Amino acid sequence: MIRLEGVQKWFGKFQVLDAIDLQVAAGERIVVCGPSGSGKSTLIRCINGLESVQKGRVVVDNIDLTAGKRNVDKVRSEVGMVFQQFNLFPHLTILQNCTLAPMRVRGASKEEAEATAMKYLARVRIPEQANKYPSQLSGGQQQRVAIARALCMTPRIMLFDEPTSALDPEMVKEVLDTMIGLAEEGMTMLCVTHEMGFARSVADRVIFMADGRIVEQAPPEQFFTAPQHEKTKQFLGQIL
Ligand code: ADP
Ligand code: MG
């Protein structure tokens, strides 16, 4: 479903991604972790074309992102993304946040888009908030809206960039539970997160990044109990 080959990326003279090779199969659940500044966000932003790469190939669902702008648009409509800062449109209601892209990008009718939105708002357990504005919701609720909004585009892949890092502790679980639900339904997921409990219970594979490289990857059991690389051990020592 996702294939990165020899990806390199620079911001000016600073190399942020180096020799990234990564393959993700349909239905696979990947957790990406690593120190701040190691390139995790940049990596997942490359997968939906929010960032371009200077070298190598990025292929998502057989669409080569490195072969033209039209492909970037195609991939974006198949890949849902959820950010640390929920990024909801503040001047639109929850329902309007969820129907905007399906109507504009997919050409759905208002009725159709609203029915789909209500279905996903029910899935994330906040249908009763549909007519409120983002500022009237808690952080955890806003993040669940962000997930529902992404699902309204019926993505084949979901990318999460530290979706619980900006939340108060008591709201982390409700968002993780929503993500666990998605994983159980077989969604292909790539999650940057330091929620190691989530990684242990949900991930098929944990990827550890440092200095723009994938330093180590392994199934969670192996990753947590027998990390190979010195940098991985150091990192796990700091967060566990
Ligand atoms: P992470 O998500 O692992 O914390 P990022 O991918 O956000 O890391 O960033 C990796 C490095 O690239 C950091 O040193 C960051 O400062 C730098 N960086 C990220 N985005 C930009 C940008 N748009 N311009 C210049 N440098 C950037
Ligand atoms: Mg980041």
Side-chain angles (χ1 to χ4, degrees), residues 12-59:
K13 287 195 171 146
F14 176 73
Q15 184 162 16
V16 55
L17 295 177
D18 187 11
I20 300 281
D21 291 305
L22 173 66
Q23 298 211 15
V24 180
E28 221 185 339
R29 292 148 304 194
I30 309 287
V31 160
V32 181
C33 61
S36 175
S38 56
K40 306 178 299 293
S41 294
T42 307
L43 174 72
I44 70 165
R45 290 164 63 84
C46 288
I47 295 172
N48 74 344
L50 280 175
E51 297 282 358
S52 58
V53 305
Q54 280 100 350
K55 249 190 175 175
R57 296 215 308 155
V58 180
V59 183

Short mmCIF file of all heavy atoms in Angstrom, two decimals, residues 12-59:
data_model
loop_
_atom_site.label_atom_id
_atom_site.label_comp_id
_atom_site.label_asym_id
_atom_site.label_seq_id
_atom_site.Cartn_x
_atom_site.Cartn_y
_atom_site.Cartn_z
N GLY A 12 16.83 23.08 2.70
CA GLY A 12 18.06 23.82 2.45
C GLY A 12 19.24 22.87 2.52
O GLY A 12 19.26 21.87 1.81
N LYS A 13 20.19 23.18 3.41
CA LYS A 13 21.38 22.32 3.50
C LYS A 13 21.21 21.20 4.52
O LYS A 13 22.07 20.34 4.67
CB LYS A 13 22.61 23.17 3.89
CG LYS A 13 23.08 24.03 2.75
CD LYS A 13 24.47 24.57 3.01
CE LYS A 13 25.00 25.24 1.74
NZ LYS A 13 25.85 26.41 2.06
N PHE A 14 20.08 21.26 5.24
CA PHE A 14 19.86 20.28 6.30
C PHE A 14 19.15 19.04 5.76
O PHE A 14 18.05 19.13 5.21
CB PHE A 14 19.03 20.93 7.41
CG PHE A 14 18.66 19.98 8.51
CD1 PHE A 14 19.62 19.55 9.42
CD2 PHE A 14 17.36 19.50 8.62
CE1 PHE A 14 19.27 18.67 10.44
CE2 PHE A 14 17.02 18.62 9.64
CZ PHE A 14 17.98 18.20 10.55
N GLN A 15 19.80 17.89 5.88
CA GLN A 15 19.17 16.66 5.40
C GLN A 15 18.25 16.10 6.47
O GLN A 15 18.71 15.67 7.54
CB GLN A 15 20.20 15.61 5.01
CG GLN A 15 19.52 14.38 4.43
CD GLN A 15 20.45 13.49 3.63
OE1 GLN A 15 21.66 13.59 3.72
NE2 GLN A 15 19.86 12.60 2.83
N VAL A 16 16.96 16.11 6.19
CA VAL A 16 15.97 15.69 7.20
C VAL A 16 15.61 14.22 7.05
O VAL A 16 15.31 13.56 8.05
CB VAL A 16 14.73 16.62 7.17
CG1 VAL A 16 14.12 16.68 5.79
CG2 VAL A 16 13.69 16.19 8.17
N LEU A 17 15.65 13.68 5.82
CA LEU A 17 15.41 12.25 5.61
C LEU A 17 16.56 11.68 4.78
O LEU A 17 16.99 12.28 3.79
CB LEU A 17 14.09 12.02 4.88
CG LEU A 17 12.81 12.42 5.61
CD1 LEU A 17 11.59 12.18 4.72
CD2 LEU A 17 12.66 11.68 6.94
N ASP A 18 17.03 10.52 5.21
CA ASP A 18 18.20 9.93 4.55
C ASP A 18 17.96 8.44 4.31
O ASP A 18 17.70 7.69 5.25
CB ASP A 18 19.42 10.14 5.45
CG ASP A 18 20.71 9.70 4.77
OD1 ASP A 18 20.68 9.44 3.55
OD2 ASP A 18 21.74 9.64 5.47
N ALA A 19 18.04 8.04 3.05
CA ALA A 19 17.99 6.62 2.70
C ALA A 19 16.81 5.89 3.35
O ALA A 19 16.98 4.85 3.98
CB ALA A 19 19.30 5.93 3.09
N ILE A 20 15.62 6.47 3.22
CA ILE A 20 14.45 5.83 3.81
C ILE A 20 13.87 4.77 2.86
O ILE A 20 13.47 5.09 1.74
CB ILE A 20 13.35 6.88 4.11
CG1 ILE A 20 13.83 7.95 5.09
CG2 ILE A 20 12.08 6.17 4.61
CD1 ILE A 20 13.85 7.54 6.54
N ASP A 21 13.85 3.54 3.31
CA ASP A 21 13.17 2.46 2.61
C ASP A 21 12.09 1.94 3.53
O ASP A 21 12.37 1.59 4.67
CB ASP A 21 14.13 1.31 2.28
CG ASP A 21 15.14 1.72 1.21
OD1 ASP A 21 14.70 2.16 0.13
OD2 ASP A 21 16.35 1.60 1.47
N LEU A 22 10.88 1.90 3.01
CA LEU A 22 9.77 1.48 3.87
C LEU A 22 8.66 0.89 3.02
O LEU A 22 8.30 1.45 1.98
CB LEU A 22 9.24 2.71 4.63
CG LEU A 22 7.97 2.52 5.47
CD1 LEU A 22 8.22 1.57 6.62
CD2 LEU A 22 7.48 3.88 5.99
N GLN A 23 8.17 -0.26 3.43
CA GLN A 23 7.01 -0.84 2.75
C GLN A 23 5.95 -1.14 3.77
O GLN A 23 6.23 -1.70 4.82
CB GLN A 23 7.40 -2.14 2.05
CG GLN A 23 8.46 -1.92 0.98
CD GLN A 23 8.33 -2.90 -0.17
OE1 GLN A 23 7.30 -3.56 -0.32
NE2 GLN A 23 9.36 -2.99 -0.99
N VAL A 24 4.73 -0.76 3.46
CA VAL A 24 3.61 -1.02 4.35
C VAL A 24 2.54 -1.76 3.55
O VAL A 24 2.11 -1.27 2.48
CB VAL A 24 3.03 0.29 4.92
CG1 VAL A 24 1.86 -0.01 5.85
CG2 VAL A 24 4.11 1.08 5.66
N ALA A 25 2.14 -2.92 4.03
CA ALA A 25 1.12 -3.71 3.33
C ALA A 25 -0.27 -3.23 3.70
O ALA A 25 -0.46 -2.57 4.73
CB ALA A 25 1.29 -5.18 3.71
N ALA A 26 -1.26 -3.56 2.87
CA ALA A 26 -2.65 -3.20 3.18
C ALA A 26 -3.04 -3.82 4.51
O ALA A 26 -2.76 -4.99 4.78
CB ALA A 26 -3.57 -3.70 2.07
N GLY A 27 -3.66 -3.02 5.36
CA GLY A 27 -4.13 -3.51 6.65
C GLY A 27 -3.07 -3.51 7.73
O GLY A 27 -3.37 -3.82 8.88
N GLU A 28 -1.86 -3.15 7.37
CA GLU A 28 -0.79 -3.15 8.37
C GLU A 28 -0.89 -1.91 9.26
O GLU A 28 -1.32 -0.85 8.82
CB GLU A 28 0.58 -3.17 7.68
CG GLU A 28 1.57 -4.10 8.36
CD GLU A 28 2.96 -4.03 7.75
OE1 GLU A 28 3.12 -3.59 6.59
OE2 GLU A 28 3.90 -4.41 8.45
N ARG A 29 -0.49 -2.08 10.52
CA ARG A 29 -0.53 -0.96 11.48
C ARG A 29 0.88 -0.70 11.98
O ARG A 29 1.49 -1.54 12.63
CB ARG A 29 -1.46 -1.30 12.63
CG ARG A 29 -2.90 -1.36 12.14
CD ARG A 29 -3.72 -2.33 12.87
NE ARG A 29 -3.17 -3.67 12.87
CZ ARG A 29 -3.86 -4.75 13.22
NH1 ARG A 29 -5.10 -4.64 13.59
NH2 ARG A 29 -3.29 -5.93 13.21
N ILE A 30 1.36 0.50 11.63
CA ILE A 30 2.74 0.84 11.94
C ILE A 30 2.76 1.98 12.96
O ILE A 30 2.04 2.95 12.81
CB ILE A 30 3.45 1.37 10.66
CG1 ILE A 30 3.27 0.40 9.49
CG2 ILE A 30 4.92 1.66 10.94
CD1 ILE A 30 4.06 -0.85 9.58
N VAL A 31 3.59 1.84 13.96
CA VAL A 31 3.85 2.96 14.87
C VAL A 31 5.26 3.47 14.61
O VAL A 31 6.21 2.68 14.50
CB VAL A 31 3.69 2.54 16.35
CG1 VAL A 31 4.41 3.50 17.28
CG2 VAL A 31 2.21 2.48 16.71
N VAL A 32 5.37 4.78 14.44
CA VAL A 32 6.67 5.41 14.24
C VAL A 32 7.02 6.20 15.49
O VAL A 32 6.21 7.01 15.96
CB VAL A 32 6.64 6.37 13.02
CG1 VAL A 32 8.01 7.02 12.80
CG2 VAL A 32 6.18 5.65 11.76
N CYS A 33 8.20 5.96 16.04
CA CYS A 33 8.63 6.74 17.20
C CYS A 33 10.08 7.17 17.00
O CYS A 33 10.74 6.77 16.04
CB CYS A 33 8.45 5.94 18.49
SG CYS A 33 9.41 4.43 18.57
N GLY A 34 10.55 7.98 17.92
CA GLY A 34 11.91 8.48 17.82
C GLY A 34 12.01 9.86 18.42
O GLY A 34 10.99 10.51 18.64
N PRO A 35 13.23 10.32 18.68
CA PRO A 35 13.39 11.62 19.34
C PRO A 35 12.83 12.77 18.52
O PRO A 35 12.66 12.65 17.30
CB PRO A 35 14.91 11.77 19.49
CG PRO A 35 15.54 10.55 18.92
CD PRO A 35 14.49 9.64 18.42
N SER A 36 12.53 13.84 19.20
CA SER A 36 12.06 15.06 18.54
C SER A 36 13.10 15.51 17.52
O SER A 36 14.30 15.47 17.78
CB SER A 36 11.85 16.12 19.62
OG SER A 36 11.53 17.32 19.02
N GLY A 37 12.63 15.87 16.32
CA GLY A 37 13.54 16.35 15.29
C GLY A 37 14.13 15.24 14.44
O GLY A 37 14.95 15.49 13.56
N SER A 38 13.70 13.98 14.66
CA SER A 38 14.31 12.88 13.91
C SER A 38 13.71 12.70 12.52
O SER A 38 14.20 11.89 11.74
CB SER A 38 14.18 11.58 14.71
OG SER A 38 12.84 11.31 15.04
N GLY A 39 12.65 13.46 12.20
CA GLY A 39 12.10 13.41 10.85
C GLY A 39 10.78 12.65 10.73
O GLY A 39 10.30 12.39 9.62
N LYS A 40 10.16 12.32 11.87
CA LYS A 40 8.92 11.53 11.85
C LYS A 40 7.79 12.26 11.11
O LYS A 40 7.13 11.69 10.25
CB LYS A 40 8.47 11.20 13.28
CG LYS A 40 9.53 10.53 14.13
CD LYS A 40 9.05 10.26 15.54
CE LYS A 40 8.68 11.52 16.33
NZ LYS A 40 9.81 12.40 16.64
N SER A 41 7.57 13.52 11.47
CA SER A 41 6.48 14.27 10.82
C SER A 41 6.77 14.44 9.34
O SER A 41 5.88 14.28 8.50
CB SER A 41 6.33 15.66 11.46
OG SER A 41 5.91 15.54 12.79
N THR A 42 8.00 14.76 9.03
CA THR A 42 8.36 14.94 7.62
C THR A 42 8.12 13.65 6.84
O THR A 42 7.58 13.68 5.73
CB THR A 42 9.84 15.37 7.50
OG1 THR A 42 10.05 16.51 8.33
CG2 THR A 42 10.19 15.72 6.06
N LEU A 43 8.48 12.52 7.44
CA LEU A 43 8.27 11.24 6.77
C LEU A 43 6.80 11.04 6.44
O LEU A 43 6.45 10.72 5.29
CB LEU A 43 8.76 10.10 7.67
CG LEU A 43 8.47 8.69 7.14
CD1 LEU A 43 9.37 8.37 5.94
CD2 LEU A 43 8.65 7.64 8.22
N ILE A 44 5.91 11.23 7.42
CA ILE A 44 4.52 10.93 7.09
C ILE A 44 3.90 12.01 6.19
O ILE A 44 3.03 11.72 5.41
CB ILE A 44 3.63 10.58 8.30
CG1 ILE A 44 3.37 11.75 9.19
CG2 ILE A 44 4.16 9.40 9.08
CD1 ILE A 44 2.20 11.41 10.13
N ARG A 45 4.42 13.23 6.28
CA ARG A 45 3.93 14.27 5.37
C ARG A 45 4.33 13.96 3.92
O ARG A 45 3.64 14.38 2.98
CB ARG A 45 4.45 15.64 5.79
CG ARG A 45 3.79 16.14 7.09
CD ARG A 45 4.54 17.29 7.72
NE ARG A 45 4.56 18.47 6.87
CZ ARG A 45 3.59 19.38 6.81
NH1 ARG A 45 2.54 19.26 7.59
NH2 ARG A 45 3.67 20.42 6.01
N CYS A 46 5.43 13.23 3.74
CA CYS A 46 5.82 12.83 2.38
C CYS A 46 4.86 11.79 1.80
O CYS A 46 4.73 11.65 0.59
CB CYS A 46 7.24 12.25 2.38
SG CYS A 46 8.52 13.48 2.64
N ILE A 47 4.19 11.05 2.69
CA ILE A 47 3.32 9.97 2.23
C ILE A 47 1.99 10.51 1.69
O ILE A 47 1.33 9.86 0.91
CB ILE A 47 3.11 8.93 3.36
CG1 ILE A 47 4.46 8.26 3.67
CG2 ILE A 47 2.06 7.88 3.00
CD1 ILE A 47 4.45 7.36 4.89
N ASN A 48 1.60 11.71 2.10
CA ASN A 48 0.41 12.27 1.45
C ASN A 48 0.72 13.52 0.63
O ASN A 48 -0.17 14.29 0.31
CB ASN A 48 -0.72 12.52 2.47
CG ASN A 48 -0.46 13.72 3.33
OD1 ASN A 48 0.66 14.20 3.39
ND2 ASN A 48 -1.48 14.20 3.99
N GLY A 49 1.99 13.67 0.30
CA GLY A 49 2.36 14.74 -0.63
C GLY A 49 2.35 16.13 -0.02
O GLY A 49 2.42 17.12 -0.74
N LEU A 50 2.27 16.23 1.31
CA LEU A 50 2.38 17.55 1.94
C LEU A 50 3.81 18.07 1.83
O LEU A 50 4.06 19.26 1.91
CB LEU A 50 1.96 17.51 3.41
CG LEU A 50 0.46 17.51 3.71
CD1 LEU A 50 0.22 17.33 5.19
CD2 LEU A 50 -0.18 18.80 3.23
N GLU A 51 4.76 17.12 1.72
CA GLU A 51 6.15 17.48 1.46
C GLU A 51 6.60 16.69 0.24
O GLU A 51 6.19 15.54 0.06
CB GLU A 51 7.05 17.08 2.65
CG GLU A 51 6.74 17.78 3.95
CD GLU A 51 7.25 19.20 4.02
OE1 GLU A 51 7.91 19.68 3.05
OE2 GLU A 51 6.99 19.85 5.04
N SER A 52 7.46 17.30 -0.58
CA SER A 52 8.02 16.57 -1.71
C SER A 52 9.41 16.08 -1.31
O SER A 52 10.00 16.57 -0.35
CB SER A 52 8.10 17.48 -2.93
OG SER A 52 8.89 18.61 -2.61
N VAL A 53 9.91 15.10 -2.05
CA VAL A 53 11.25 14.60 -1.74
C VAL A 53 12.19 14.92 -2.91
O VAL A 53 11.73 15.10 -4.03
CB VAL A 53 11.23 13.07 -1.47
CG1 VAL A 53 10.23 12.74 -0.38
CG2 VAL A 53 10.96 12.27 -2.73
N GLN A 54 13.48 15.02 -2.59
CA GLN A 54 14.43 15.37 -3.65
C GLN A 54 15.01 14.14 -4.35
O GLN A 54 15.47 14.22 -5.47
CB GLN A 54 15.57 16.24 -3.12
CG GLN A 54 15.17 17.70 -2.96
CD GLN A 54 14.83 18.07 -1.52
OE1 GLN A 54 14.72 17.19 -0.67
NE2 GLN A 54 14.66 19.34 -1.25
N LYS A 55 15.00 13.03 -3.63
CA LYS A 55 15.56 11.81 -4.20
C LYS A 55 14.75 10.61 -3.78
O LYS A 55 14.21 10.59 -2.67
CB LYS A 55 17.00 11.62 -3.71
CG LYS A 55 18.03 11.81 -4.79
CD LYS A 55 19.39 11.37 -4.30
CE LYS A 55 20.40 11.45 -5.45
NZ LYS A 55 21.74 11.15 -4.99
N GLY A 56 14.66 9.61 -4.65
CA GLY A 56 13.95 8.39 -4.30
C GLY A 56 12.50 8.43 -4.76
O GLY A 56 12.08 9.39 -5.42
N ARG A 57 11.77 7.39 -4.42
CA ARG A 57 10.38 7.30 -4.86
C ARG A 57 9.43 7.09 -3.69
O ARG A 57 9.75 6.43 -2.71
CB ARG A 57 10.22 6.09 -5.81
CG ARG A 57 11.03 6.26 -7.09
CD ARG A 57 10.32 5.66 -8.26
NE ARG A 57 9.88 4.29 -8.05
CZ ARG A 57 8.85 3.74 -8.70
NH1 ARG A 57 8.16 4.45 -9.56
NH2 ARG A 57 8.54 2.48 -8.48
N VAL A 58 8.26 7.70 -3.83
CA VAL A 58 7.19 7.49 -2.85
C VAL A 58 5.98 7.02 -3.63
O VAL A 58 5.45 7.75 -4.49
CB VAL A 58 6.85 8.80 -2.11
CG1 VAL A 58 5.73 8.55 -1.10
CG2 VAL A 58 8.07 9.39 -1.42
N VAL A 59 5.56 5.77 -3.40
CA VAL A 59 4.44 5.20 -4.14
C VAL A 59 3.35 4.81 -3.13
O VAL A 59 3.62 4.08 -2.18
CB VAL A 59 4.88 3.96 -4.95
CG1 VAL A 59 3.72 3.42 -5.77
CG2 VAL A 59 6.06 4.31 -5.86
#
